[in-house]
Amino acid sequence: LGSGSIIVADDSVSIPRMALRTAHFYRHESCGKCSPCREGSSWLVQIMRRIVNKRGQMADLETLTDLCKNIAGRTVCAFGDAEVSPI
């Protein structure tokens, strides 16, 4: 029937780090049947890792936005939609 979650964090939590951790979870849990999710999840983790490690560039933000647009609504199941939500 689906699932849901709530994440509670105080102001000491790094939002980019939290987004990276969530993206890593989705990459690990992806079934790999459709390419937007399979390939996109790896790209999301790679870019978010670069941002968290302070090696990100302004162009990474546009790339993340484009990736999310190419994943959401283009997967076999709703997993891709959930995957891009934290980003």
Side-chain angles (χ1 to χ4, degrees):
L1 295 175
S3 64
S5 69
I6 296 174
I7 298 173
V8 179
D10 64 16
D11 59 354
S12 68
V13 174
S14 165
I15 299 301
R17 189 173 300 279
M18 184 185 294
L20 170 60
R21 188 175 172 114
T22 306
H24 188 271
F25 166 80
Y26 280 108
R27 184 185 72 185
H28 182 267
E29 293 299 316
S30 173
C31 73
K33 288 185 180 178
C34 53
S35 59
C37 191
R38 180 182 61 245
E39 301 298 323
S41 62
S42 293
W43 277 92
L44 291 175
V45 169
Q46 180 181 341
I47 294 170
M48 286 305 302
R49 188 175 290 144
R50 193 166 51 231
I51 290 170
V52 166
N53 290 328
K54 299 181 180 175
R55 292 179 309 187
Q57 300 173 358
M58 290 304 291
D60 289 337
L61 299 177
E62 186 175 338
T63 303
L64 282 173
T65 301
D66 289 343
L67 272 170
C68 290
K69 286 179 185 175
N70 285 307
I71 296 171
R74 290 181 162 85
T75 56
V76 174
C77 69
F79 195 83
D81 295 342
E83 174 179 34
V84 300
S85 293
I87 306 297

